[in-house]
Amino acid sequence: MNASSPVLVIHGGAGTIAPSRSVAEELVYHAALADILTAGAACLEAGGSALDAVGIAVDLLEECPLFNAGHGAVFTSAGTHELDAAVMDGATLRAGAVAAVTRVRRPGRAARAIMEAGEHVLLAGPGAEAFARHQGLEMVEPDFFSTEARRAQLVQAQATGRIALDHDGASPPLDEARKFGTVGAVALDRHGHLAALTSTGGMTNKRPGRIGDSPLIGAGTYADDRTAAVSCTGTGEAFMRIAAAHDVCARMAYGGRSLEDAARAVVEGALPSVGGRGGLIAVDAAGRIAMPFNTEGMYRGHVRMGEPPATAIFGQAR
Ligand code: ASP
């Protein structure tokens, strides 16, 4: 393995394993993750930037109804969708984010447009939508994001009075009432630059107006060429309270920890200490990767140039 060659890592959320899963159900997820990794890898292979590679990966994850972002996003308690996303460029520390948008088809692209405009880092609600429309990004009717599977999750969550992670629950292959289906991507390109992008529908049955960790720079998303690019998934409030994504980078920068050590310390130590569940994906400037989680599973995968994509759902976190 060449540790410094370009690499792309993606996640599709973390959560609880449902007791009985067929191999066929799991294969659907593996195939979706592998296809998305292949598309992102083609970008890196052609000399594309880490920013472009994470953009391609998240575009596809958002469009895939298996994951809680874009089409297939979870419902709020009001039966609506409010989407959050953030992107960060490790080379320049530029960042962009949107929160609580309801009509932007690809929130990850809106985050990127805010970053490129350079004026603000985070836009929320109608202001974010006006900006996206002005940028020429595709807008959709709010029900574009709805799927029957997510509506069933809302009904189930409301029946039990819970605010649930997307992958914590009832249908394949993680427990849909207790899973976090946020999507994310981190990459290292051939120029040694890092980028991170996270996009989510949030948590099933969340209160309208609730904003999670994903669009908050330092909480759910962070990238710095000097340390790592990080994208998180899980109970957002806990990730916010420990500034999880930045904490990984801080442990590396100030504590001299390796990526693997820093990522594990956050996911296995800091996060559970505030009651947090979930995981993260990360890559450092040498191309080392970490994908720890403290739930039963996390949809994840990575690809290095010249190697086939590798995907996993359960098993040993790495
Ligand atoms: N972290 C996301 C949020 O709290 C949820 C998830 O990861 O699925 O909005």
Side-chain angles (χ1 to χ4, degrees):
M1 180 182 87
N2 177 0
S4 59
S5 72
V7 57
L8 173 67
V9 189
I10 63 174
H11 72 76
T16 306
I17 302 173
S20 62
R21 291 299 174 212
S22 76
V23 172
E25 286 171 339
E26 289 186 20
L27 285 178
V28 172
Y29 281 82
H30 283 292
L33 292 169
D35 285 352
I36 292 165
L37 285 166
T38 301
C43 168
L44 290 173
E45 195 122 46
S49 68
L51 269 176
D52 286 342
V54 296
I56 287 168
V58 169
D59 261 7
L60 294 168
L61 286 159
E62 285 177 343
E63 293 290 299
C64 179
L66 296 173
F67 305 110
N68 166 25
H71 179 60
V74 298
F75 285 89
T76 68
S77 61
T80 55
H81 302 285
E82 295 184 352
L83 312 178
D84 300 335
V87 65
M88 187 157 183
D89 175 12
T92 59
L93 303 188
R94 291 181 310 152
V98 290
V101 294
T102 61
R103 293 171 180 274
V104 180
R105 177 166 182 167
R106 296 182 182 84
R109 288 194 190 185
R112 173 91 183 251
I114 290 168
M115 183 184 83
E116 302 292 352
E119 187 183 12
H120 300 300
V121 169
L122 171 61
L123 293 177
E129 272 156 12
F131 175 85
R133 190 175 286 113
H134 187 252
Q135 293 290 310
L137 295 180
E138 187 177 350
M139 308 300 283
V140 291
E141 289 302 314
D143 65 3
F144 166 84
F145 302 111
S146 304
T147 61
E148 281 318 305
R150 298 293 182 227
R151 199 177 295 280
Q153 270 178 253
L154 174 65
V155 170
Q156 189 187 23
Q158 290 187 325
T160 53
R162 279 191 310 175
I163 298 170
L165 292 169
D166 172 52
H167 290 313
D168 275 350
S171 120
L174 296 183
D175 183 354
E176 289 288 332
R178 287 195 295 278
K179 83 173 183 172
F180 314 93
T182 290
V183 307
V186 296
L188 166 70
D189 65 28
R190 67 167 55 159
H191 308 291
H193 295 315
L194 300 174
L197 176 45
T198 311
S199 181
T200 188
M203 290 175 65
T204 297
N205 202 26
K206 68 182 179 181
R207 202 177 277 276
R210 178 265 189 186
I211 293 169
D213 61 312
S214 308
L216 301 186
I217 298 303
T221 307
Y222 202 74
D224 183 340
D225 278 4
R226 295 167 295 182
T227 49
V230 183
S231 172
C232 302
T233 175
T235 44
E237 282 70 10
F239 285 78
M240 289 153 77
R241 289 164 59 201
I242 64 164
H246 185 264
D247 193 21
V248 173
C249 297
R251 286 169 193 262
M252 295 173 72
Y254 312 141
R257 307 281 292 271
S258 69
L259 176 75
E260 179 73 24
D261 277 2
R264 280 191 179 277
V266 170
V267 170
E268 294 169 8
L271 193 59
S273 77
V274 293
R277 296 177 55 241
L280 60 83
I281 55 170
V283 59
D284 71 12
R288 288 177 285 254
I289 64 172
M291 301 186 282
F293 51 92
N294 65 23
T295 48
E296 287 83 346
M298 180 169 79
Y299 297 103
R300 62 200 188 279
H302 76 281
V303 62
R304 294 182 188 280
M305 299 314 91
E307 295 178 17
T311 60
I313 303 172
F314 307 117
Q316 201 53 41
R318 41 177 297 187

